[in-house]
Amino acid sequence: MADHLTEQEQIETLKRWWAENGKGIVTGVVLALAGYFGYQWWQNSERAKAEEASNLYQNFVEAVSANGGEPDNKQMTTAKSISQQLKDEFPKGIYASHAALRLAAEAAEENDLESAEKELQWVLDNTQEETLKLLAKRRLAAVMAARGKPDEGLKLLEGAVPSSFAALFAETRGDILLQKGEESGARAAYQQALAQLLPEQAESAQLLRLKAESLSAQDDSAEDKSEAQGGENEVEPADAGAEESSEQ
């Protein structure tokens, strides 16, 4: 009888515990399941979006490749339309930024610097990828300089950058300074670029060296010319004195 009562007491205890905690447990299980299935849905949704963006970008690449270098070609019109769709639907994705960079390059080749600047500025304003941001910034600086805005271009190149971009930024700074006629600053920038080249960037060393040395040669020639002119000016008084003496 005592054992039976003990069993009954245990059942009653369980009933009371379930009455007090059962709803919370059920709610917790439901929430856990909802969270799991919600996460699965989110993952599937993101995967579907990534696939859609990838397919759009592939179509974009095919259209640009089939363009044949004609800016008003039907294929280029298609490429621009796809690029805009990528910007509208996936503005923070890498495909939209890559498409904009490609269109900027195509525009620059056609000397449409205004369109190139717009595409590069869009990347700078929207991409979340630091590498793409730095790439767009460097190209935008060059385009701005080509459009007659060298100081704005130089401003974009200010600040610290990762070592993989340091030499590229320094070289671009040198190009813009040279465009402004600041040859000594340009030479210093090229020398800095040489010093900042990474081993995997060694193929750029020859061109940078040529840029720096050509400016050094120009400076040396200017100095020699200046010294020669100075020497001639110093001789003139002596010649004049000799002429006076001869006349006497």
Side-chain angles (χ1 to χ4, degrees):
M1 183 66 176
D3 290 340
H4 177 69
L5 289 174
T6 300
E7 185 178 346
Q8 286 295 109
E9 289 174 353
Q10 290 175 351
I11 292 172
E12 290 300 324
T13 300
L14 286 172
K15 286 181 179 180
R16 286 195 300 270
W17 181 86
W18 180 256
E20 294 173 0
N21 302 288
K23 290 182 180 179
I25 291 174
V26 171
T27 301
V29 170
V30 170
L31 289 175
L33 289 172
Y36 171 76
F37 288 115
Y39 178 69
Q40 289 293 314
W41 175 86
W42 178 83
Q43 275 193 322
N44 291 336
S45 176
E46 290 300 301
R47 189 179 298 111
K49 288 180 181 179
E51 289 177 358
E52 182 182 355
S54 176
N55 290 335
L56 280 172
Y57 183 71
Q58 183 60 37
N59 293 337
F60 166 84
V61 171
E62 291 174 359
V64 172
S65 300
N67 174 48
E70 300 178 17
D72 298 324
N73 186 288
K74 181 180 178 181
Q75 293 295 336
M76 180 55 75
T77 301
T78 300
K80 290 178 179 178
S81 176
I82 296 173
S83 175
Q84 190 59 51
Q85 185 177 353
L86 284 166
K87 290 175 182 175
D88 292 340
E89 298 179 15
F90 312 99
K92 302 303 179 183
I94 61 171
Y95 294 114
S97 293
H98 277 291
L101 287 171
R102 181 66 181 272
L103 286 182
E106 293 288 329
E109 283 189 17
E110 298 297 328
N111 204 33
D112 182 2
L113 299 180
E114 182 179 358
S115 295
E117 182 175 336
K118 288 180 180 178
E119 294 291 347
L120 292 168
Q121 188 64 57
W122 187 91
V123 176
L124 203 56
D125 293 339
N126 289 275
T127 187
Q128 295 179 327
E129 296 291 325
E130 188 63 22
T131 298
L132 295 181
K133 189 183 291 289
L134 290 167
L135 189 60
K137 184 178 289 188
R138 203 284 303 176
R139 293 181 182 178
L140 182 58
V143 168
M144 282 184 166
R147 295 195 69 198
K149 300 182 286 186
D151 291 332
E152 291 183 40
L154 287 171
K155 190 171 182 62
L156 280 173
L157 301 173
E158 293 177 353
V161 295
S163 59
S164 56
F165 278 86
L168 188 59
F169 269 53
E171 181 181 9
T172 305
R173 189 180 301 109
D175 291 342
I176 297 175
L177 288 171
L178 183 59
Q179 179 183 327
K180 292 183 66 179
E182 300 179 16
E183 294 184 359
S184 60
R187 185 176 67 253
Y190 292 143
Q191 290 171 341
Q192 180 185 8
L194 274 168
Q196 292 176 324
L197 281 176
L198 298 178
E200 58 268 27
Q201 298 169 330
E203 69 276 2
S204 300
Q206 185 175 1
L207 178 58
L208 282 169
R209 197 171 290 113
L210 284 172
K211 287 182 176 182
E213 289 176 354
S214 67
L215 291 175
S216 297
Q218 290 177 23
D219 284 351
D220 291 342
S221 176
E223 287 177 5
D224 291 344
K225 185 176 181 180
S226 177
E227 289 175 0
Q229 289 176 343
E232 290 175 0
N233 292 336
E234 290 175 0
V235 171
E236 284 178 2
D239 290 344
E243 289 175 1
E244 290 177 2
S245 176
S246 174
E247 288 175 359
Q248 291 176 354

